[in-house]
Amino acid sequence: MKFETPATTNPIDQLKIIGKPADRIDGPFKTTGTAPYAYERHDNIANPACGYVVGSAIAKGRIASMDLTAAKTASGVLAIVTADNAGKLAKGNLNFATLLGGPEIEHYHQAIALVVAETFEQARAAAQLVRVDYVRTDGVYDLAAVKDSGKPARITGGPADTAVGDFAGAFAAAPVQLDATYTTPDHAHAMMEPHASMAAWDGDKLIVWTSNQMIDWSVGELAKTLGMPKDKVRLISPFIGGGFGGKLFVRADALLAALGARAAGRPVKVALTRPMMFNNTVHRPATIQRIRIGATRDGKITAIGHEGWSGNLPGGKPEAAVQATRLLYAGANRMTATRLAVLDLPEGNAMRAPGEAPGMMALEIAMDEMAEKLGLDPIEFRILNDTQVDPEKPERAYSHRPLIACMGLGANRFDWSKRNPQPGQVRAGRWLVGIGMAAAFRNNPVMKSAARVRLDNRGVVVVETDMTDIGTGTYTIIAQTAAEMMGLPLDKIIVRLGDSAFPVSAGSGGQWGANSSTSGVYAACVKLREAVAQKLGFNSTEADFADGQVRSGNRSVPLAQAAGESGIVAEDVMEFGDLGKKYQQSTFGAHFVEVGVDAATAEIRVRRMLAVCAAGRILNPKSARSQVIGAMTMGAGAALMEELAVDKRAGFFVNHDLAGYEVPVHADIPHQDVIFLDETDPMSSPMKAKGVGELGICGVGAAIANAIYNATGVRVRDYPITLDKLLARLPEVA
Amino acid sequence: MRSFTYERANSPAEAAAAAARQQGAKFIAGGTNLLDLMKLEIETPAHLIDVNRLGLDKIEPTADGGLRVGALVRNTDLAADERVRRDYGVLSRALLAGASGQLRNKATTAGNLLQRTRCPYFYDTNQPCNKRQPGSGCSAIGGLSRQHAVIGASEACIATHPSDMAVAMRALDATVETIRPDGAARSIPIADFHRLPGNTPEVETSLAPGELITAVTLPKPVGGKQIYRKVRDRASYAFALVAVAAIVQRDGSGRVALGGVAHKPWRVEAAEAELPRGAKAVTAKLFADAKPTHENAFKLLLAERTLGAVLAEARG
């Protein structure tokens, strides 16, 4: 099915099951420990050998020699894989650093060997016996120091440089100007489940149970890396303990499990240990961002410019921090520029809302600063500069853009009118109290997605697609989609995900998963409805699927009976036409935050949070809310504590465990409110839904930063906003 | 595989004797730190002596009106003990400011005193660290040092001691009781228990080889307002940037010990004379010889402001 014209009324609009807060189907499995994760697939492989990854002890240079003698003879050791003995390996298209390094070393903790033994403990102990002599070479690890060496780099969906009108002239002429520089540090995905894989060979066929967001991409990448035909590789990933972009691609665990299994001649499982994850895999790259805004005295933006610098390994991509600025606010004269420097730190890559998350952390502070210069309420300033068209291409309208409604509803719900615009004025006991807001904005990409549905003679529909559920609720919304389409209750739907033997889906990334994958299921169900109607001799456009029956005129047949002994199978793929090009499709929101800053110690604690989101039809308000509160939590982490600390001498992230890399704990997160606008976007898909999982993080950090400013009068432009950045500028303790 | 032997001792004396007898022996109690360090091969004991079942898990009154806390009393139980909550509030508060509920359920009094630094370079076996590998150098000097010591550090090591409990015990003038391999008992004032790094940062306490902690004795209650204020970026489950344990009497006199600033709980008795003159005067004396790094210099101002807030709370 091809989605080329705006959606009209369809069975989803019945909203009997779609739009209801159904509990997650996988919830009981996860809470009872019966959802099997990749590392524990002993239901398939009774006794796998265990692999332990040896990571490079240097950031850049080469291995002069590697002595495996002691490790090989250690108890229980079955095989040791290194670049020397692994055979020829190609590099995938989606990773920049080599997954098995040596002799060249590209980054710290790059995998250089896998020790395979009977038990994990044996493999770990033997790994310590691998003797490596390195020749270090100097690397570049300090973004600020080398930012000016950055080269223009294309961003997702755009060129390195954009220019509309005369930015320089308009900015210079603007009576009110802001020119400020902001920084965001490197961030870790720090998901709960580490990267893990279990691999088994059957002749020339490879099967890998793994933890991966994008099954089809990763089958291709693994096949390419191993020099195998794609159809000989099968990936299975039904349950994933979080990914946030860190599991979009094949990582060392999957490749080394495959190589280890080949070398040992038996199935092997490999998990990255927690301290290995931070430098071995990928992270959200640090940014330096300069934002210039010029406006008239009454608050109309006349010039807006955003420059972003980031660094990556050679061949890597930039962090597209300027992306949102191209679209979010009006202004006749505009520019963005993206520069990428070469750094020898671990590979930077996508993390939840790449580009927009760090970009909005800066842009939405800048908007707050500009509103203050203008003497305008921050919401009023944003309303004044709202646009209903793509400001770079005014002929291109937004499909639907209720940003003002989000801000208005949020302001009302949060008692924004009680905010004292004068910072540093509100005190509650030991706390300086402030409130702040920021717009939320994230584009709504769509991706081709296929599914297969099978109706059996029990009246049960089985849905199969290689779509993944990374903790987002995919199982549930897919079941809701099939149930709505087929007129069945939820318990008559079985959803099978994350297997490359199933039709190729959109996968989980870029917040496209929910809308795209359910659209694929919609397409398959349309075909199934046609097949059922045809079998019964019904006119498919008139057939009504409800209550487990299919009706046409006076005739009603149970679906189970219609399926017959052999059942009916249908498969289709949803493809998207150019509505996304004709119309700018994005998701919108507004974040409101109240913080307390300890008047003595400058400790910052969030007291209240609210997000108002406009993201098309909300397929399941319960799982969508979970997505948004999780994103708000992640945004609070980015605002207040998350930072991969770079050792600029040795070239690695020093705080590489969960004691050092702090993410919020329960005590950091207060009550969170989420409101979804009741809306649909027929330009988006037949589901009329959009992504929401990344919208929730965009802008949170700035809302917190703005609240801290309101509480203290101290403006911090370098994340994370920790107490040491406020302390010296707070009033004396009484 | 790196194997080790294990025995369950039958008495404290026997445990201490066994530890002296066996090369590379270590005591294991709650294991919340030791097991982590063994997995990373930072600690590689050849022999573990389990001291969990030696009857050292009681809290008893002492003849002079104090409290004797067995070495194996779990942090959770110590924090919840009615006598501790009533008479040694600073200790109960410090314990509850540390770690997590699950860890406090396992962690013991002696183990808490003996926990090792959380310096990230200590935990990364690829990096030089004089504490882990004497003579290899200190990576934290010139590296990530935001959490590190601002006073009492050396060219060899700028690590901090991570305990909250020990800071409160320092303010309370606790005594560490031990038994030595020859069966002799010893009492070590808490002030002398932890050492500054000097040139031997791998030696962290004044315990002799094989010497086993049997209890920590708290002197007769001293009353006063007892406050433990731990400052950190994250609201829970994080080590202190600065912590203040304070006992302030009605007349304004008192005691102050700080955590998160040195290789041991930091207390300078002479500085306490300045308490009536306020936090600035006290911290000026406490940190007279401070040598912070550029990343942790904020701790000096933070300590002053935190102490100021603590003294204000004590007055109020």
Side-chain angles (χ1 to χ4, degrees):
Chain A
M1 182 179 287
K2 194 152 186 189
F3 182 69
E4 291 178 296
T5 54
T8 53
T9 303
N10 67 47
I12 296 296
D13 295 321
Q14 300 173 98
L15 299 182
K16 289 180 184 164
I17 296 171
I18 284 287
K20 297 283 188 287
D23 288 346
R24 269 170 57 178
I25 290 173
D26 52 328
F29 304 132
K30 290 189 170 164
T31 50
T32 57
T34 50
Y37 289 87
Y39 199 68
E40 53 198 22
R41 289 309 298 265
H42 303 141
D43 51 333
N44 293 285
I45 302 294
N47 187 26
C50 294
Y52 191 89
V53 178
V54 180
S56 168
I58 65 166
K60 188 173 168 67
R62 58 195 311 279
I63 296 171
S65 67
M66 203 186 242
D67 181 0
L68 305 179
T69 321
K72 272 184 180 160
T73 55
S75 63
V77 171
L78 302 167
I80 300 177
V81 176
T82 67
D84 263 351
N85 64 25
K88 191 169 177 299
L89 297 174
K91 197 163 81 173
N93 299 319
L94 300 172
N95 58 297
F96 313 122
T98 310
L99 297 177
L100 176 57
E104 296 304 317
I105 297 298
E106 294 161 295
H107 64 88
Y108 192 69
H109 274 174
Q110 182 173 29
I112 55 168
L114 181 81
V115 178
V116 181
E118 291 287 349
T119 69
F120 173 81
E121 289 76 12
Q122 288 170 329
R124 182 178 62 195
Q128 299 278 349
L129 302 175
V130 174
R131 293 281 157 259
V132 188
D133 282 325
Y134 299 94
V135 180
R136 288 170 197 260
T137 42
D138 290 340
V140 179
Y141 309 115
D142 185 351
L143 175 63
V146 301
K147 103 182 213 289
D148 292 336
S149 70
K151 300 277 186 298
R154 286 184 59 78
I155 62 171
T156 313
D161 295 280
T162 64
V164 174
D166 171 18
F167 170 79
F171 181 71
V176 183
Q177 298 174 336
L178 172 79
D179 181 350
T181 298
Y182 306 85
T183 64
T184 62
D186 298 285
H187 287 151
H189 304 82
M191 73 298 275
M192 188 92 78
E193 182 204 18
H195 301 265
S197 296
M198 189 183 291
W201 291 87
D202 175 11
D204 62 348
K205 287 194 212 133
L206 172 65
I207 180 163
V208 184
W209 293 269
T210 189
S211 184
N212 189 290
Q213 299 173 227
M214 300 293 298
I215 299 302
D216 187 60
W217 288 3
S218 296
V219 169
E221 289 286 283
L222 192 54
K224 183 177 182 216
T225 308
L226 289 165
M228 298 169 59
K230 197 175 162 187
D231 62 5
K232 300 280 190 198
V233 177
R234 184 165 170 205
L235 289 194
I236 300 177
S237 187
F239 296 105
I240 296 156
F244 309 119
K247 294 173 180 169
L248 286 169
F249 316 119
V250 171
R251 305 303 321 165
D253 59 299
L255 176 66
L256 290 174
L259 293 171
R262 186 152 74 189
R266 59 185 265 200
V268 167
K269 65 177 184 175
V270 176
L272 295 185
T273 60
R274 186 67 65 182
M276 181 73 82
M277 287 169 62
F278 296 78
N279 287 281
N280 175 272
T281 67
V282 291
H283 63 279
R284 186 202 300 285
T287 66
I288 298 170
Q289 304 179 46
R290 181 189 187 195
I291 295 179
R292 282 174 290 172
I293 303 176
T296 60
R297 292 211 184 277
D298 57 0
K300 283 275 187 191
I301 293 175
T302 52
I304 185 162
H306 193 162
E307 295 155 87
W309 290 264
S310 57
N312 215 332
L313 288 167
K317 290 183 186 162
E319 183 68 19
V322 307
Q323 201 158 277
T325 306
R326 295 183 61 197
L327 287 160
L328 188 49
Y329 296 113
N333 304 286
R334 352 181 28 98
M335 64 81 68
T336 68
T338 299
R339 297 290 178 270
L340 177 63
V342 171
L343 289 180
D344 298 300
L345 290 170
E347 175 178 329
N349 216 315
M351 179 169 148
R352 199 174 200 170
E356 278 115 328
M360 293 289 283
M361 287 167 80
L363 176 63
E364 288 295 291
I365 297 183
M367 289 297 285
D368 200 66
E369 294 198 61
M370 195 64 187
E372 190 184 34
K373 279 176 185 268
L374 288 159
L376 285 173
D377 179 88
I379 294 176
E380 189 57 33
F381 178 50
R382 287 174 174 85
I383 291 173
L384 273 173
N385 293 287
D386 188 51
T387 174
Q388 293 295 314
V389 298
D390 174 350
E392 288 180 4
K393 298 189 191 79
E395 68 282 4
R396 192 167 162 266
Y398 275 93
S399 63
H400 184 54
R401 179 175 154 127
L403 176 60
I404 293 175
C406 291
M407 293 190 295
L409 182 57
N412 189 21
R413 185 68 69 99
F414 208 71
D415 276 338
W416 177 256
S417 61
K418 297 205 178 110
R419 167 183 178 263
N420 187 335
Q422 188 72 29
Q425 301 299 310
V426 181
R427 182 87 185 239
R430 58 185 254 220
W431 301 102
L432 303 165
V433 178
I435 66 176
M437 62 82 57
F441 175 85
R442 167 76 175 146
N443 280 335
N444 178 56
V446 284
M447 293 276 276
K448 186 171 139 175
S449 197
R452 182 160 57 224
V453 286
R454 180 183 297 110
L455 172 67
D456 70 17
N457 64 357
R458 301 165 298 163
V460 168
V461 171
V462 178
V463 186
E464 291 175 337
T465 166
D466 83 355
M467 182 60 193
T468 49
D469 187 328
I470 58 175
T472 40
T474 315
Y475 276 105
T476 314
I477 56 171
I478 282 181
Q480 287 176 278
T481 303
E484 191 80 62
M485 289 299 291
M486 301 312 300
L488 289 168
L490 265 182
D491 63 6
K492 294 283 185 194
I493 311 292
I494 294 169
V495 180
R496 295 193 181 133
L497 300 181
D499 187 332
S500 60
F502 299 153
V504 175
S505 73
S508 299
Q511 82 167 3
W512 62 61
N515 181 41
S516 304
S517 70
T518 54
S519 294
V521 174
Y522 169 92
C525 287
V526 168
K527 268 205 172 168
L528 181 60
R529 286 165 62 110
E530 286 166 1
V532 169
Q534 193 181 10
K535 189 167 176 186
L536 297 174
F538 290 174
N539 179 339
S540 70
T541 57
E542 286 167 10
D544 177 37
F545 290 73
D547 307 322
Q549 310 267 326
V550 51
R551 293 189 188 85
S552 183
N554 293 329
R555 202 171 145 218
S556 181
V557 181
L559 273 182
Q561 188 185 321
E565 277 310 304
S566 55
I568 305 176
V569 181
E571 180 174 336
D572 201 5
V573 57
M574 178 63 78
E575 294 180 272
F576 294 89
D578 61 358
L579 282 174
K581 286 208 178 70
K582 283 190 194 149
Y583 297 92
Q584 176 57 37
Q585 293 190 16
S586 305
T587 57
F588 304 90
H591 287 288
F592 291 82
V593 174
E594 179 178 297
V595 302
V597 178
D598 188 290
T601 65
E603 286 166 291
I604 304 156
R605 301 291 180 255
V606 179
R607 294 158 66 96
R608 286 193 290 149
M609 301 181 93
L610 165 68
V612 183
C613 300
R617 171 174 284 150
I618 298 303
L619 303 173
N620 179 330
K622 191 171 189 179
S623 58
R625 178 178 183 277
S626 290
Q627 282 294 290
V628 176
I629 63 174
M632 290 158 81
T633 303
M634 212 167 190
L640 298 175
M641 62 192 81
E642 292 188 42
E643 174 176 23
L644 285 166
V646 179
D647 187 309
K648 290 169 187 158
R649 307 158 305 174
F652 72 110
F653 300 129
V654 184
N655 50 340
H656 54 75
D657 59 29
L658 289 178
Y661 186 83
E662 292 185 7
V663 297
V665 295
H666 285 92
D668 291 296
I669 302 302
H671 180 71
Q672 298 169 308
D673 269 327
V674 181
I675 301 171
F676 294 108
L677 293 197
D678 188 5
E679 64 164 26
T680 56
D681 191 337
M683 304 292 185
S684 167
S685 75
M687 304 302 295
K688 304 171 188 170
K690 291 175 175 176
V692 73
E694 297 188 338
L695 174 66
I697 195 175
C698 295
V700 181
I704 292 172
N706 296 339
I708 292 167
Y709 176 74
N710 184 244
T712 61
V714 181
R715 184 67 78 178
V716 179
R717 300 186 183 87
D718 301 295
Y719 291 99
I721 305 174
T722 45
L723 58 89
D724 46 303
K725 295 172 186 171
L726 298 173
L727 204 57
R729 292 151 76 190
L730 289 187
E732 292 265 328
V733 184
Chain B
M1 191 160 56
R2 207 176 267 279
S3 54
F4 58 87
T5 50
Y6 168 92
E7 73 173 285
R8 191 178 286 169
N10 292 312
S11 70
E14 193 186 290
R21 207 163 46 236
Q22 286 261 13
Q23 193 85 53
K26 276 211 163 277
F27 302 117
I28 182 159
T32 58
N33 194 203
L34 180 60
L35 292 181
D36 283 351
L37 294 167
M38 286 172 69
K39 289 172 186 173
L40 295 166
E41 299 204 351
I42 293 166
E43 296 272 15
T44 53
H47 184 64
L48 285 184
I49 301 164
D50 187 336
V51 294
N52 277 297
R53 291 170 178 81
L54 304 184
L56 299 175
D57 55 354
K58 295 175 187 65
I59 306 174
E60 300 158 320
T62 61
D64 62 355
L67 215 49
R68 187 172 185 277
V69 180
L72 272 289
V73 172
R74 308 285 156 174
N75 287 178
T76 296
D77 297 330
L78 184 56
D81 185 272
E82 197 187 322
R83 294 158 292 183
V84 173
R85 285 162 54 101
R86 184 184 63 223
D87 298 330
Y88 307 96
V90 66
L91 176 58
S92 183
R93 293 186 176 99
L95 282 159
L96 293 174
S100 66
Q102 293 94 327
L103 285 167
R104 293 193 296 267
N105 288 342
K106 286 296 285 180
T108 63
T109 305
N112 189 318
L113 288 175
L114 295 174
Q115 66 181 303
R116 315 229 31 207
T117 185
R118 306 295 162 150
C119 172
Y121 296 102
F122 175 71
Y123 277 79
D124 187 334
T125 51
N126 290 326
Q127 303 304 323
C129 170
N130 286 322
K131 188 182 278 295
R132 175 169 32 79
Q133 200 182 343
S136 62
C138 173
S139 303
I141 296 173
L144 175 65
S145 59
R146 184 170 181 267
Q147 287 275 353
H148 288 68
V150 293
I151 192 157
S154 69
E155 296 291 303
C157 180
I158 61 170
T160 54
H161 193 268
S163 173
D164 293 296
M165 181 195 81
V167 179
M169 286 180 171
R170 179 72 179 87
L172 289 165
D173 279 332
T175 303
V176 181
E177 294 181 17
T178 69
I179 185 162
R180 289 190 287 197
D182 64 4
R186 175 157 89 120
S187 294
I188 309 168
I190 186 103
D192 303 331
F193 184 77
H194 291 110
R195 297 165 45 116
L196 290 176
N199 289 322
T200 55
E202 72 279 13
V203 184
E204 291 167 350
T205 71
S206 53
L207 291 174
E211 190 168 6
L212 174 71
I213 299 174
T214 51
V216 174
T217 301
L218 304 174
K220 204 170 96 175
V222 294
K225 278 235 178 173
Q226 302 203 0
I227 296 170
Y228 190 79
R229 182 76 169 84
K230 182 177 183 180
V231 182
R232 43 191 161 172
D233 298 315
R234 183 158 72 177
S236 180
Y237 201 48
F239 296 99
L241 292 169
V242 164
V244 173
I247 302 170
V248 183
Q249 303 298 341
R250 209 180 279 274
D251 63 2
S253 68
R255 306 172 183 183
V256 174
L258 273 75
V261 295
H263 201 255
K264 58 189 281 186
W266 194 250
R267 183 174 170 200
V268 178
E269 276 80 348
E272 290 163 4
E274 303 290 329
L275 271 169
R277 276 177 289 282
K280 201 179 277 266
V282 176
T283 47
K285 285 227 161 148
L286 267 174
F287 292 110
D289 300 318
K291 285 193 188 65
T293 70
H294 76 278
E295 286 191 1
N296 67 22
F298 74 93
K299 286 189 176 186
L300 300 177
L301 178 59
L302 181 60
E304 181 192 313
R305 293 181 68 107
T306 307
L307 180 59
V310 165
L311 296 180
E313 185 186 338
R315 281 194 306 270

